[in-house]
Amino acid sequence: MNSEIMVEARDLCKNYGTVTALDHVSFSVNKAELFGFIGPDGAGKTTLLRILATMLKPDTGTVRIGEYDAVNDYRKIRNMIGYMPGKFSLYQDLTVEENLQFFAGIFGSTIKDNYYLINDIYDQISPFKNRQAGKLSGGMKQKLALSCAMIHKPDLLLLDEPTTGVDAVSRKEFWEMLRKRKEDGITIIVSTPYMDEAGKCDRVALFQNSKILSTDTPENITANYGSVLFAVRTSNMYTLIHDLKYCPTVRSAHSFGQYIHYTDKEINATMSDIEYYLRGKGHSEIEIRQIDATVEDCFMRLMLND
């Protein structure tokens, strides 16, 4: 494996009975890279992270982390990773400080040894260091879980939907912390269902129905959208989505907040063309503007093409 690669997965498959969780998944993650798996619930992200954390064996395919094989060398790998599962899994009857001491201790470390890795987040929860973990708020639980995952200074940090269920301020702080840890040389793999978080990663893999649809930088993914994209709004949004979806030249039409994002099969289609069509359908107060594609637009496009 290339010395600059931290994780390399080839042709991973995993089934639960008749349900396919991973379908021939391949990817690589560079050292000190912040890599994101972006996709909805049920796409296969958690299964993949559990395989990377050596908690599950793939049915077929291989994973190498550093120089080690994830199946044959799992004990060595567990000493070099930090894993934060999607569900809060710390000891709820232990205090904040006791949890942190415990997780540092099982890796032969102490809080003092690597405090610099967690000081910016632990300082926020230290006023509650004597509170039981189970009595913390959602955001505080996530910060404690991240602290425990990092306290032994792992080479690879695996985070399964770490910002799900936390407030917007905590989400912002969380990503700022991850960028700092990347700068410390830690490789970070994070999964999230939030498309807007893709832009915070160095590279992302768009995940759907057990498969990777695309892997690239967020900038390259959006640059390759390949069509002129319009944001459309009228006085009757209920009928607008129907009328756009059944436009004879429609390529795609999806609801995005207060607008419908629309692309046309005709590469020379203009805003005037769309307005003319909508007025013929009885729409008024028509607002149309050309916009840049987001990662979510690209995800929807890839789903249609899959």
Side-chain angles (χ1 to χ4, degrees):
M1 188 167 71
N2 188 313
S3 61
E4 295 303 311
I5 294 178
M6 173 58 74
V7 179
E8 186 172 48
R10 294 183 179 179
D11 210 29
L12 289 181
C13 294
K14 183 65 179 179
N15 297 297
Y16 299 104
T18 59
V19 177
T20 299
L22 296 177
D23 187 1
H24 301 282
V25 170
S26 299
F27 65 93
S28 63
V29 180
N30 298 322
K31 291 180 178 178
E33 184 175 27
L34 178 46
F35 189 94
F37 287 106
I38 316 295
D41 293 342
K45 305 186 303 296
T46 293
T47 294
L48 179 56
L49 261 66
R50 286 177 176 172
I51 288 174
L52 298 182
T54 72
M55 297 176 64
L56 284 176
K57 290 183 180 180
D59 294 337
T60 60
T62 61
V63 176
R64 294 195 68 83
I65 296 179
E67 60 184 292
Y68 302 119
D69 178 83
V71 174
N72 298 323
D73 304 315
Y74 69 93
R75 292 185 184 275
K76 293 176 181 178
I77 289 174
R78 288 178 182 177
N79 284 323
M80 59 184 288
I81 66 171
Y83 173 56
M84 180 177 164
K87 183 178 180 181
F88 184 69
S89 58
L90 301 183
Y91 294 99
Q92 302 205 34
D93 56 343
L94 295 183
T95 66
V96 167
E97 190 170 40
E98 287 169 342
N99 267 289
L100 200 56
Q101 289 173 340
F102 172 78
F103 281 94
I106 61 176
F107 286 100
S109 183
T110 66
I111 297 175
K112 183 178 179 180
D113 289 341
N114 297 312
Y115 187 74
Y116 74 96
L117 286 172
I118 66 167
N119 64 336
D120 50 353
I121 48 176
Y122 189 67
D123 284 350
Q124 299 176 40
I125 57 177
S126 59
F128 312 102
K129 65 181 181 181
N130 294 318
R131 181 177 296 182
Q132 289 181 322
K135 296 181 179 179
L136 295 172
S137 67
M140 291 296 182
K141 284 181 177 178
Q142 296 297 77
K143 291 171 184 175
L144 175 58
L146 179 59
S147 296
C148 290
M150 293 194 304
I151 194 58
H152 61 294
K153 195 180 179 181
D155 297 310
L156 172 64
L157 190 59
L158 303 170
L159 308 174
D160 190 4
E161 299 193 358
T163 58
T164 299
V166 301
D167 61 87
V169 173
S170 293
R171 282 179 64 189
K172 181 175 181 294
E173 291 174 346
F174 209 90
W175 281 100
E176 289 173 353
M177 290 181 272
L178 295 186
R179 297 301 303 185
K180 291 179 181 178
R181 299 296 75 84
K182 166 189 151 57
E183 292 169 5
D184 290 327
I186 297 176
T187 305
I188 302 171
I189 297 179
V190 57
S191 70
T192 177
Y194 301 126
M195 296 289 166
D196 62 307
E197 294 186 337
K200 304 180 188 299
C201 302
D202 297 326
R203 287 191 305 138
V204 297
L206 301 183
F207 221 92
Q208 170 69 359
N209 292 335
S210 313
K211 298 179 180 180
I212 291 179
L213 304 179
S214 177
T215 303
D216 210 330
T217 65
E219 295 79 13
N220 285 345
I221 287 175
T222 54
N224 291 324
Y225 184 69
S227 299
V228 178
L229 181 64
F230 299 99
V232 185
R233 183 168 66 178
T234 71
S235 58
N236 191 338
M237 295 297 290
Y238 179 76
T239 58
L240 175 62
I241 182 64
H242 176 273
D243 290 337
L244 286 177
K245 282 188 173 181
Y246 287 92
C247 175
T249 58
V250 65
R251 183 170 185 178
S252 65
H254 301 286
S255 297
F256 280 78
Q258 297 180 334
Y259 291 85
I260 306 300
H261 284 195
Y262 174 84
T263 57
D264 202 280
K265 292 178 183 177
E266 300 293 334
I267 60 174
N268 295 321
T270 66
M271 289 183 282
S272 297
D273 295 331
I274 300 170
E275 182 176 0
Y276 179 81
Y277 167 76
L278 291 176
R279 289 200 182 280
K281 291 292 184 178
H283 287 274
S284 60
E285 299 179 30
I286 300 171
E287 178 186 345
I288 306 173
R289 53 192 176 90
Q290 187 174 329
I291 59 172
D292 294 327
T294 66
V295 170
E296 188 167 357
D297 291 308
C298 297
F299 184 85
M300 299 297 288
R301 167 66 61 81
L302 289 166
M303 284 182 60
L304 289 174
N305 294 338
D306 186 38

